[in-house]
Amino acid sequence: MSRAAAGAPTRAAVRRALAARLRAAGIESADLDARLLLADALQVAPADLLLDGDVPMDALALAAVEARVGRRLAGEPVARILGEKEFWSLPFRLSDETLVPRPDTETLVEAALSALGGRRGARLRVLDLGIGSGAILAALLSELPHAFGVGVDRSAGAASTARDNLARLGLAGRSVVRIGDWAQDLEGPFDLVVSNPPYIPNSDLPALEREVRLFDPARALDGGADGLDAYRAILAALPRLLASDGFAVLELGIGQEDQVAALARAQGLVVDGPARADLGGIPRALVLRAA
């Protein structure tokens, strides 16, 4: 970017002004958001803003920043604006048909790896039901060097995004992504089945935070009248999908552990201890195994 005319605002001044606007709008992560949006508009690394804060900005750069901050003030998450989100220290591109990967879901990956124990170097078959952006499956394959992963999603757009992310991470040769309705037409056995299914009761959808309600795909959130529709479909299929020594790990919504555990036992599955809690102390990842 060429140097602007004398008197033009510097990058540091613009960043401070953006943060103040976001903070005034009640956005808690105002400082971080301002830095990320400014760096994206300038096509530089966020850390470079600390080194080049005195560089003045021209009108074109200011317009690019303003377009991004306008979207943020309208409630759009920063990850949607940037088109990318980090998960398990890996970068994932997003699309309109995928959820933004959330740190709480890393609990599911941790629980799955813990359940596998010393088998992490084995030639495992991993199934991700509702693959979305591909974050969970890619994280697992990055930790399981000889595993092969199968991902399924009802959304063609999500399946395409997952394929692209797996390919960008060098995992295309150890994975395949299909379009399908949960486990329909799938054949096992799988050593590990994971899923972060829709689990919000549909009556609760209007009360979700604006960032989720307006910008996440409703199909990936809506769990039916009681939030358990997807769990019922997945749990009914697990007995035929799991290997005899296989595990399944399901992400839970708040307060759903007892209900999902009861549904799992009704299908003859063994609930392997209490659910693993996320960083907020909420039971988040339920581990199941074949009887």
Side-chain angles (χ1 to χ4, degrees), residues 74-162:
E76 188 170 356
V78 169
R80 293 276 181 207
I81 299 170
L82 304 183
E84 187 170 285
K85 178 69 173 180
E86 183 179 281
F87 180 88
W88 205 256
S89 299
L90 301 170
F92 292 90
R93 289 179 180 168
L94 307 177
S95 66
D96 290 342
E97 297 183 61
T98 63
L99 294 173
V100 176
R102 292 171 170 80
D104 289 342
T105 300
E106 292 190 350
T107 308
L108 187 154
V109 178
E110 294 168 354
L113 294 174
S114 178
L116 289 170
R119 300 170 62 197
R120 290 171 60 168
R123 296 188 179 279
L124 304 170
R125 293 188 74 209
V126 181
L127 172 63
D128 185 353
L129 294 172
I131 189 172
S133 65
I136 295 171
L137 185 60
L140 288 169
L141 292 180
S142 75
E143 300 286 348
L144 305 171
H146 301 296
F148 185 87
V150 178
V152 179
D153 206 286
R154 295 177 295 174
S155 162
S160 177
T161 301

Side-chain angles (χ1 to χ4, degrees), residues 205-254:
L205 294 175
L208 293 175
E209 295 180 355
R210 180 174 61 163
E211 293 188 2
V212 175
R213 184 179 74 253
L214 298 182
F215 297 98
D216 274 344
R219 193 177 188 184
L221 300 169
D222 189 348
D226 60 359
L228 302 175
D229 283 359
Y231 293 111
R232 293 186 180 94
I234 293 167
L235 292 168
L238 283 181
R240 67 175 174 80
L241 291 177
L242 283 176
S244 59
D245 57 351
F247 288 88
V249 186
L250 306 181
E251 178 162 330
L252 303 171
I254 295 173

Side-chain angles (χ1 to χ4, degrees), residues 18-101:
L18 292 179
R21 289 171 65 188
L22 295 172
R23 197 175 299 111
I27 296 174
E28 294 182 0
S29 55
D31 291 316
L32 175 60
D33 290 3
R35 186 165 67 251
L36 293 175
L37 294 174
L38 179 58
D40 186 61
L42 297 173
Q43 294 297 288
V44 300
D48 291 344
L49 297 177
L50 301 176
L51 303 175
D52 300 327
D54 62 342
V55 174
M57 293 181 57
D58 60 24
L60 187 62
L62 290 170
V65 173
E66 188 61 32
R68 287 163 173 77
V69 77
R71 292 169 64 182
R72 186 68 186 103
L73 289 170
E76 188 170 356
V78 169
R80 293 276 181 207
I81 299 170
L82 304 183
E84 187 170 285
K85 178 69 173 180
E86 183 179 281
F87 180 88
W88 205 256
S89 299
L90 301 170
F92 292 90
R93 289 179 180 168
L94 307 177
S95 66
D96 290 342
E97 297 183 61
T98 63
L99 294 173
V100 176

